[in-house]
Amino acid sequence: MVQVCVNGGRGSGDGALVPLSPGAMADSAAEAVAVGASDIHVHPKSPCGEDTLSPKAVAVTLEEIRSRVAVPVGVTTGAWAEPDPAARVTRVHEWTVLPDHASVNWHEPGAEQVAAALLERGVAVEAGIWSATDGAARFAASPLAPRVLRVLAEVTDPNPDTAEDSARELLAALTVTHGRPVLLHGEEGGTWPVLRLAGRLGLATRIGLEDTLFLPNGQRALSNAELVTEGLAQYERAQRTP
């Protein structure tokens, strides 16, 4: 499974190719699915272009994307979009249109409560376990861990020379996954080395403008679809690497 991460926390300062409006997100997601993405992760935006969990923004974003694609669509619940844990839970209960899944960063305050609110509403949970945090240990001890959809092993090391080692350390720290599938991905300079490692290990992965703005050759990516096309090619080549 290759998930496309459409925009992430990026904004207008990252270039016009990063989709920020619901229509642009839907267009970009549809193009990515057309070239092979099988799942979508998106950050709904406020009118100012900031990440938000507001019911209106979540609803219009999901409706626009679902009008164009038939694959699962997930959203973020990152603390940066709503720093107060109780307010984050309230937002989840206020949603009028529900995503298929939502990511919860297990090292963040209130992660258990947010995950519980999502599960209560029938929204699948992606457990975000970031490298260089206590997320793996907290997840291993969580009574909700067996109920998540998948584990997102998120390598935050942006150095292309060390990201693969950081990824292996993170996977080693995930001693308990309760049989949940693991999606491994990196970010910025570490994106492509970690994606190739996911291919060699046969793990799900993701690619998109949230994780990187650049192709492996250093050229600026023109779209999420271009990143997905290259990501699939890199993944498949890595699978054939001894």
Side-chain angles (χ1 to χ4, degrees):
M1 189 272 281
V2 174
Q3 182 183 78
V4 59
C5 48
V6 174
N7 53 4
R10 300 194 190 274
S12 57
D14 295 296
L17 295 174
V18 177
L20 301 179
S21 71
M25 295 180 215
D27 289 343
S28 190
E31 292 168 359
V33 169
V35 297
S38 54
D39 192 279
I40 296 165
H41 173 74
V42 66
H43 290 209
K45 302 289 183 178
S46 71
C48 298
E50 302 293 330
D51 285 4
T52 180
L53 307 183
S54 80
K56 182 177 180 180
V58 171
V60 69
T61 298
L62 292 174
E63 288 170 344
E64 285 278 0
I65 294 174
R66 285 173 171 157
S67 73
R68 303 288 306 278
V69 303
V71 303
V73 185
V75 301
T76 184
T77 64
W80 58 86
E82 179 51 74
D84 179 64
R88 224 176 308 144
V89 170
T90 297
R91 284 300 201 189
V92 169
H93 284 295
E94 290 173 341
W95 287 349
T96 57
V97 178
L98 297 177
D100 296 287
H101 51 75
S103 61
V104 178
N105 300 318
W106 229 260
H107 66 281
E108 293 178 345
E112 295 268 346
Q113 291 80 4
V114 174
L118 290 164
L119 292 169
E120 181 182 332
R121 297 216 62 193
V123 178
V125 171
E126 296 181 305
I129 312 300
W130 291 23
S131 61
T133 72
D134 65 350
R138 291 178 60 182
F139 180 73
S142 172
L144 298 180
R147 299 176 60 190
V148 306
L149 173 67
R150 66 176 68 95
V151 174
L152 303 181
E154 308 198 45
V155 182
T156 59
D157 181 355
N159 188 327
D161 296 325
T162 59
E164 181 177 329
D165 288 339
S166 297
R168 291 186 183 278
E169 290 174 7
L170 175 58
L171 292 173
L174 281 168
T175 56
V176 179
T177 61
H178 297 281
R180 299 296 82 202
V182 174
L183 185 158
L184 175 66
H185 76 95
E187 64 178 36
E188 306 301 352
T191 299
W192 296 105
V194 174
L195 181 146
R196 289 189 289 268
L197 177 63
R200 292 197 297 275
L201 297 178
L203 298 175
T205 193
R206 80 177 197 185
I207 190 67
L209 292 169
E210 172 173 355
D211 289 343
T212 183
L213 299 174
F214 298 94
L215 297 166
N217 62 8
Q219 291 184 341
R220 183 81 177 227
L222 297 177
S223 66
N224 278 301
E226 186 175 32
L227 286 169
V228 169
T229 298
E230 182 61 29
L232 286 167
Q234 294 264 331
Y235 188 95
E236 290 166 4
R237 281 198 293 271
Q239 283 184 307
R240 298 192 295 269
T241 302

